[in-house]
Amino acid sequence: MSAPANAQPATAPVAASLAANPLIGPWNTPDGVPPYDRITAAHYVPAFDEGMRQARAELDAIAAQKAAPTFANTIEAMERAGELLTRTANTF
C-alpha cells in the first residue's frame, strides 16, 4: 500500500518536535543559562538522541576527511564535536 500523494515524510513530525524542544537550539536567556522554565522531563530523551546523532555525524566527518591529520583538524575538532550532547547532559 502506498502513501497518499500529499503525505509528509515521517521525519516531518520528528523535526517539528525537535524544533519545539527547548534543549535544542540557541538559548536566549540571561547569561546563556538553560531555559529551565520551559524544560520538562519529556524533552531530555529526544535531546540526548539528537545529540548522539549529531556527535556521531561530526566524528564520522572527522574520520572521513581527506586532509592529513593535524592537531587542529583532529584533536580540536573532536573537542568541539558533540556540543548538543554535552549541553544536554550538563543541563540534566
Side-chain angles (χ1 to χ4, degrees), residues 2-92:
S2 63
N6 62 351
Q8 293 182 346
T11 58
V14 173
S17 173
L18 290 176
N21 189 325
L23 289 167
I24 300 172
W27 295 342
N28 299 319
T29 56
D31 299 320
V33 297
Y36 287 113
D37 62 323
R38 296 179 23 230
I39 297 171
T40 66
H43 291 125
Y44 283 99
V45 171
F48 275 118
D49 288 345
E50 180 62 14
M52 286 186 275
R53 187 198 64 75
Q54 287 181 14
R56 266 190 232 112
E58 292 163 349
L59 293 173
D60 287 346
I62 293 166
Q65 67 186 341
K66 301 295 183 204
T70 64
F71 190 83
N73 72 10
T74 305
I75 304 301
E76 289 177 2
M78 289 174 70
E79 286 290 320
R80 289 187 303 271
E83 179 184 343
L84 176 59
L85 183 59
T86 299
R87 190 172 71 165
T88 301
N90 289 341
T91 302
F92 185 74

